[in-house]
């Protein structure tokens, strides 16, 4: 497959549709961030036990992981027009169910609805970028999605903290759901593929669901897709473990204050945000995936060794190492690119979903 065959004009319409789908990703990430902030209030309001709170989180995790694998295949076969507005609608419904839940069962239901709707969010943004801007720019456009998602996650946390200080959590999430309705209306009107989707001709007589499963199995049989998925999962898993749990503790061991330790974790995500478009652009320019992945992995390892074993480092150096680690970790985005390089054009969404699903589970 030549890149020229897959080029699409970068028109204003293409950017508008891409931004709508990216806004959906931001909406998803913002809800996840907001849930973490209000979880204690939800626990008290509904009267949940610690075990129930953990179960709610687990239900979302596993429901998302399962449906994630189907999301890409549905995009490949039906196109963004039929899939993404429905996904947005499900997430909006899930937000309203969550905001108005008065029982443990309702909260569980909200998580299942949210997980089903969310499974095409991040992958859908990559799919739309490839469709509207051509596969030659697929990697770079996916890097931009990651950059925006990482930046807005940090911003949305502050927005939700402020909002929670102005109103109760139910009102806050009902307002958030109302914003989602506006996004849904725009999505229904504008989201579409640049040309009608023509799924591969199925002469076997199988039903739609069986054909989707077969399409997923066909991509999963490619060893390179698994190599890309596992390498990406290992890189992003390191990012998650450091950014969510270990980096603040590690900074504390180096003698930093709690505030500076938290800043260290934030520098990881800032580095990822900056690095995502840069690393993917570099990969596209040199027409290689392996070299940037190896370089990114080596730089991450060097930063981690320094953070773990070198004592007496100054605050600026420590924060700089956190930023560089996050920047180099952007190489995990090339797992989507290299997987897309080895599949057929109508399997791009499926390959991205498989990579993202394995990253999510192992991470």
């Amino acid at each position: 497959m030549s890149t020229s065959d897959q080029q699409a004009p970068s028109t204003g319409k293409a950017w508008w549709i891409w931004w709508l789908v990216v806004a959906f990703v931001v909406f998803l990430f913002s809800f996840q961030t907001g849930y973490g902030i209000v979880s204690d209030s939800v626990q008290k309001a509904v009267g949940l036990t610690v075990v129930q709170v953990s179960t709610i989180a687990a239900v979302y995790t596993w429901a998302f992981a399962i449906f994630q694998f189907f999301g890409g295949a549905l995009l490949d076969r039906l196109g963004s027009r039929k899939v993404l507005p429905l996904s947005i609608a499900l997430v909006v419904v899930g937000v309203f169910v969550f905001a108005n839940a008065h029982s443990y069962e309702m909260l569980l239901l909200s998580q299942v609805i949210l997980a089903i709707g969310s499974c095409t969010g991040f992958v859908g943004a990559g799919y739309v970028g490839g469709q509207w801007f051509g596969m030659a720019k697929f990697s770079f456009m996916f890097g931009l999605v990651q950059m925006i998602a990482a930046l807005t996650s940090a911003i949305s946390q502050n927005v939700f903290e402020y909002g929670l200080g102005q109103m109760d959590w139910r009102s806050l999430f009902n307002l958030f759901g109302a914003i989602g309705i506006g996004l849904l209306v725009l999505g229904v009107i504008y989201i579409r593929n640049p040309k009608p989707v023509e799924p591969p001709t199925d002469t076997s007589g199988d039903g739609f669901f069986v054909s989707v499963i077969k399409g997923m199995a066909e991509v999963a049989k490619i060893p390179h897709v698994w190599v890309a998925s596992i390498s990406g999962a290992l890189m992003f898993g390191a990012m998650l473990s450091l950014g969510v749990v270990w980096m603040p503790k590690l900074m504390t061991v180096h003698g930093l204050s709690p505030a500076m330790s938290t800043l260290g974790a934030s520098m990881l995500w800032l580095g990822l945000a900056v690095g995502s478009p840069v690393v993917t652009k570099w990969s596209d320019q040199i027409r290689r995936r392996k070299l940037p992945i190896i370089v990114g992995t080596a730089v991450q390892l060097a930063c981690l060794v320094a953070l773990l074993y070198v004592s007496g480092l100054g605050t600026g150096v420590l924060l700089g190492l956190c930023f560089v680690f996050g920047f180099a970790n952007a190489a995990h985005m090339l797992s989507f690119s290299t997987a897309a390089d080895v599949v057929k054009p109508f399997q791009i969404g499926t390959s991205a979903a498989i990579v993202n699903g394995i990253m999510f589970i192992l991470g």
Side-chain angles (χ1 to χ4, degrees), residues 248-281:
K249 300 179 186 298
L250 188 56
M251 293 292 99
T252 301
V253 171
H254 278 282
L256 270 63
S257 66
M260 294 304 294
S261 297
T262 301
L263 179 60
S266 299
M267 293 300 289
L268 289 172
W269 298 107
L270 180 60
L272 176 61
V274 175
S276 291
V278 174
V279 172
T280 51
K281 184 67 173 180

Side-chain angles (χ1 to χ4, degrees), residues 22 38 83 93 110 119 121 131 136 140 160 177 201 207 209 221 223 254 265 292:
V22 172
V38 304
V83 175
V93 170
S110 72
C119 71
Q131 290 293 319
F140 176 68
F160 270 97
T201 303
F209 182 76
K221 288 179 182 178
H254 278 282

Side-chain angles (χ1 to χ4, degrees), residues 194-236:
K195 58 183 180 180
V197 176
E198 297 179 3
T201 303
D202 184 8
T203 59
S204 64
D206 294 327
F208 176 78
F209 182 76
V210 174
S211 66
V212 168
I213 296 295
K214 286 187 174 181
M216 293 169 56
E218 184 178 347
V219 174
K221 288 179 182 178
I222 302 174
H224 188 85
V225 173
W226 284 94
V227 173
S229 301
I230 292 172
S231 66
L234 292 173
M235 280 191 285
F236 192 60

Side-chain angles (χ1 to χ4, degrees), residues 36-52:
I37 293 173
V38 304
S39 58
D40 289 342
S41 300
V42 174
Q43 181 179 356
K44 294 176 182 178
V46 185
L48 303 176
T49 65
V50 175
V51 173
Q52 288 175 324

Side-chain angles (χ1 to χ4, degrees), residues 132-220:
W132 277 98
F133 294 90
M135 289 311 300
K137 296 183 179 179
F138 173 80
S139 182
F140 176 68
M141 297 306 295
F142 222 157
L144 287 180
V145 175
Q146 180 67 281
M147 178 190 74
I148 296 169
L151 288 176
T152 53
S153 291
I155 296 172
S156 62
Q157 181 176 8
N158 294 322
V159 172
F160 270 97
E161 287 179 348
Y162 174 79
L164 195 59
Q166 306 301 313
M167 63 188 79
D168 64 272
W169 69 272
R170 294 189 187 277
S171 299
L172 180 60
F173 277 91
N174 277 317
L175 177 60
F176 189 68
I179 295 173
I181 292 176
L183 179 61
L184 173 60
V185 171
L186 292 174
V188 170
I189 295 173
Y190 293 106
I191 293 178
R192 64 190 70 245
N193 282 57
K195 58 183 180 180
V197 176
E198 297 179 3
T201 303
D202 184 8
T203 59
S204 64
D206 294 327
F208 176 78
F209 182 76
V210 174
S211 66
V212 168
I213 296 295
K214 286 187 174 181
M216 293 169 56
E218 184 178 347
V219 174

